[in-house]
Amino acid sequence: MSVVDTKMKQKPKWTVFLRFATPAVLASAGVLAITILALFVPPYIGMADNGDYFRILYSNGLYFNAPDYDSQYLGHFVKSYGIFQYFNENGATLSSSQSMFIRLSMWINQLFSPSVFDIRIQAALFTLLYTGAVYLLIEGLTWKLKAMQGYIIAVIAIFIFGDTAYTAFFNSFFSESIVLTMMIYLFAAVLLLYRNRFNDYVLIGIFLISGLILTTSKQQNAPVGVIIAVMSILLFFVRRQRPFRVLVASSLVCVFAAGIATYALIPQEFVNINKYHAMTRGVMLQSEDPEAALESFGIDKQFSVLNKSIYYEPFTTIDVDSEILQNHFYTQYGFGKIVAFYATHPEQAGKMLDLAAKNAFTIRPPAMGNYEQSAGKAFGAQTNFFSVYSDVKQALAPKTFGFIVIWMIVVIGLYLPSFISAWRNKNIREMLRLPQMLCMIAMGLSGILVSIIGAGDADLSKHEFLFTLAFDIVTFAVVADAIQGSLWNNMSVQKSQTISHSA
């Protein structure tokens, strides 16, 4: 028997367990197990359709095949859909990276059933991607960390990211499932670059792919591409090699262009819907004098009759698609004018921001049920299975924009000393943490601002998903760094690894 074998036998069994069951493995396995129980074991948990599914379904070759589908809107989750067998005359109503995942899921589904699509195929695909994202996130936060500290962080990760308020989106056609998965990949890629863990070129590849998919997942995310590109410029200086810098520069340009293209490709129909709500559920909603507010845009004050109305109402004072509105209402303002209006009316802007803050910590939209009709649950019933975190967060988080401002200041203040220290030592890799946090915060804020400027208070709890996710990721990272004592100091990268060493 060799000396090595003898030493292996002498090691306690728990050390062998620690070698393979790392905190990252524990966290990802825990999230995977909980998600499987929630989404793939009866009663299945998913998300009811709020009326938006048709935008992405028909153009991708799917259709509603349940005879009573309309009666299940908002109340019940539906897992089966028909697959067009012949010519599909429905063109794309929007451009989204979501189509890529639907098409892939359909291809896998048709290996088993050519005519009926089971949404759980898509859920399985997202679950696997999500498990990988959680693994990379925890690996970046716990690498070279003491075992006990690492396992504490892993348990917290399961508590937050295994919450069914998040994972229920996988059993739906809402793009939030893509936002959830890709945002974690994006954060993990930069975190691992900061830790100098894994291959830098592979991590930049993950950064690029997740950034592109995240930005193009929905029109609301158009500013995300610009934010990622601008806030991640420091990545260019991590290494001096020309191939690396060319790859980073190309990646930033691609993500920036994706943001611009996503905005440019917004269909005019959706522009009108958002503009309608921006005025009726935004500008006029919080104005003490709606008629005067309209006149400041050059709009006839008689349109104040539309105050607080919704575009989709079956019976309206004026047809929302009429030439009257098209020529005398929609054409009189754009989102730039709305921004200028709020800038000159800070009190009204503050009311809208506080209104947004009331919904900024809600993960699960309150309007949509989670169960199939066959489960026998009440219409609109939502699951309580592994949802403690989302319930506590919604109940206890302060519902004012002032709290969000304080949160941002605290996060920046915690990471600023280590950034300054790394800057003085000319260690670019260690400088990545603060810009990474700022990028996530900026993306979260864009979710709030785009929502209230672009659509008022219409469906705020769902539109602000980007912020609530950014809040959780950043806050979780702060807690993890506090556990390992690295808030004020860079502990993960050796001091000798300056830019000259990585060149």
Side-chain angles (χ1 to χ4, degrees):
M1 183 179 293
S2 67
V3 177
V4 175
D5 291 336
T6 303
K7 289 183 177 180
M8 286 292 290
K9 283 191 173 184
Q10 291 175 348
K11 285 185 177 181
K13 292 182 178 180
W14 64 269
T15 60
V16 178
F17 171 79
L18 292 179
R19 180 180 177 185
F20 296 100
T22 64
V25 170
L26 175 64
S28 56
V31 169
L32 175 62
I34 293 166
T35 304
I36 289 175
L37 288 174
L39 306 189
F40 304 101
V41 176
Y44 307 113
I45 294 172
M47 298 286 288
D49 183 2
N50 69 344
D52 285 347
Y53 282 12
F54 80 94
R55 296 177 179 177
I56 196 71
L57 244 67
Y58 280 83
S59 60
N60 283 295
L62 298 176
Y63 65 93
F64 306 121
N65 62 349
D68 59 344
Y69 188 89
D70 289 352
S71 66
Q72 299 186 61
Y73 276 122
L74 299 176
H76 294 293
F77 154 58
V78 178
K79 71 174 186 295
S80 298
Y81 298 84
I83 300 176
F84 280 112
Q85 300 298 299
Y86 304 103
F87 175 72
N88 181 10
E89 63 182 5
N90 299 283
T93 56
L94 53 84
S95 299
S96 170
S97 57
Q98 184 180 1
S99 295
M100 175 175 62
F101 294 95
I102 293 177
R103 294 280 183 172
L104 177 58
S105 301
M106 287 177 61
W107 179 79
I108 297 172
N109 185 98
Q110 288 178 308
L111 296 176
F112 307 97
S113 174
S115 59
V116 178
F117 178 74
D118 191 326
I119 200 172
R120 290 174 297 174
I121 298 293
Q122 175 191 267
L125 178 62
F126 279 125
T127 298
L128 291 175
L129 287 171
Y130 189 56
T131 301
V134 172
Y135 175 85
L136 292 180
L137 174 64
I138 307 307
E139 181 69 12
L141 288 170
T142 62
W143 186 55
K144 289 187 176 181
L145 196 61
K146 292 179 180 179
M148 184 55 65
Q149 293 176 327
Y151 288 125
I152 292 174
I153 293 172
V155 170
I156 297 173
I158 294 172
F159 181 65
I160 296 175
F161 299 109
D163 196 294
T164 53
Y166 275 132
T167 57
F169 279 105
F170 297 163
N171 260 337
S172 79
F173 288 108
F174 295 121
S175 59
E176 277 71 14
S177 52
I178 299 173
V179 174
L180 169 62
T181 306
M182 293 304 144
M183 204 159 172
I184 293 179
Y185 269 117
L186 185 76
F187 186 84
V190 179
L191 178 62
L192 290 164
L193 279 164
Y194 159 71
R195 298 288 194 185
N196 202 13
R197 174 70 166 144
F198 300 133
N199 184 278
D200 288 347
Y201 290 89
V202 173
L203 293 175
I204 291 298
I206 295 174
F207 171 86
L208 170 61
I209 294 171
S210 58
L212 288 175
I213 295 176
L214 172 63
T215 301
T216 57
S217 62
K218 58 193 304 184
Q219 282 71 31
Q220 182 187 349
N221 289 356
V224 169
V226 177
I227 292 170
I228 294 173
V230 173
M231 301 297 292
S232 303
I233 290 177
L234 203 59
L235 292 175
F236 180 83
F237 302 99
V238 168
R239 299 173 69 111
R240 287 181 175 174
Q241 291 97 328
R242 181 178 177 83
F244 180 83
R245 290 192 168 182
V246 169
L247 176 61
V248 172
S250 301
S251 299
L252 297 181
V253 169
C254 286
V255 176
F256 185 92
I260 301 300
T262 300
Y263 178 79
L265 292 174
I266 299 177
Q268 187 60 43
E269 177 190 356
F270 294 157
V271 171
N272 285 349
I273 294 172
N274 291 334
K275 288 176 70 174
Y276 185 90
H277 289 148
M279 187 62 67
T280 64
R281 304 296 310 179
V283 171
M284 286 196 289
L285 181 69
Q286 296 295 337
S287 177
E288 295 181 358
D289 189 348
E291 295 182 354
L294 286 176
E295 289 181 328
S296 69
F297 286 88
I299 301 174
D300 193 313
K301 63 182 181 181
Q302 293 184 66
F303 285 108
S304 62
V305 70
L306 299 174
N307 187 22
K308 300 182 181 180
S309 64
I310 297 175
Y311 188 92
Y312 298 106
E313 289 178 359
F315 304 105
T316 59
T317 306
I318 306 173
D319 183 0
V320 293
D321 296 319
S322 66
E323 290 187 7
I324 295 177
L325 282 186
Q326 188 62 48
N327 297 329
H328 303 286
F329 189 73
Y330 298 129
T331 58
Q332 300 304 306
Y333 65 98
F335 299 125
K337 282 190 175 183
I338 293 176
V339 171
F341 176 84
Y342 283 129
T344 55
H345 296 77
E347 183 178 351
Q348 191 167 333
K351 290 180 180 179
M352 287 301 297
L353 289 172
D354 280 337
L355 181 62
K358 291 180 180 179
N359 297 273
F361 301 96
T362 300
I363 301 175
R364 180 194 290 117
M368 280 85 88
N370 293 138
Y371 292 101
E372 290 183 281
Q373 193 173 42
S374 60
K377 303 288 184 178
F379 186 89
Q382 295 187 327
T383 181
N384 292 318
F385 176 70
F386 209 85
S387 61
V388 174
Y389 173 74
S390 56
D391 292 339
V392 170
K393 177 184 176 182
Q394 183 174 352
L396 300 183
K399 305 299 192 296
T400 65
F401 192 75
F403 170 74
I404 295 175
V405 173
I406 293 172
W407 170 74
M408 291 188 294
I409 293 173
V410 170
V411 172
I412 294 170
L414 289 173
Y415 287 96
L416 188 58
S418 61
F419 177 84
I420 294 174
S421 175
W423 176 71
R424 288 174 176 171
N425 293 326
K426 297 181 180 178
N427 193 322
I428 303 300
R429 196 179 290 271
E430 288 190 349
M431 292 172 62
L432 292 177
R433 275 204 311 180
L434 180 59
Q436 179 191 29
M437 293 297 185
L438 290 175
C439 182
M440 297 298 290
I441 291 172
M443 286 193 289
L445 285 179
S446 75
I448 290 179
L449 297 178
V450 169
S451 296
I452 61 175
I453 294 172
D457 73 340
D459 204 9
L460 264 180
S461 59
K462 186 170 177 293
H463 287 165
E464 292 185 297
F465 181 82
L466 193 65
F467 173 81
T468 196
L469 175 58
F471 177 87
D472 284 348
I473 293 174
V474 170
T475 304
F476 171 66
V478 170
V479 171
D481 285 337
I483 290 173
Q484 58 185 295
S486 64
L487 280 174
W488 298 90
N489 301 301
N490 291 300
M491 300 177 64
S492 61
V493 184
Q494 297 179 359
K495 292 183 179 180
S496 60
Q497 291 176 321
T498 60
I499 187 172
S500 60
H501 287 76
S502 60

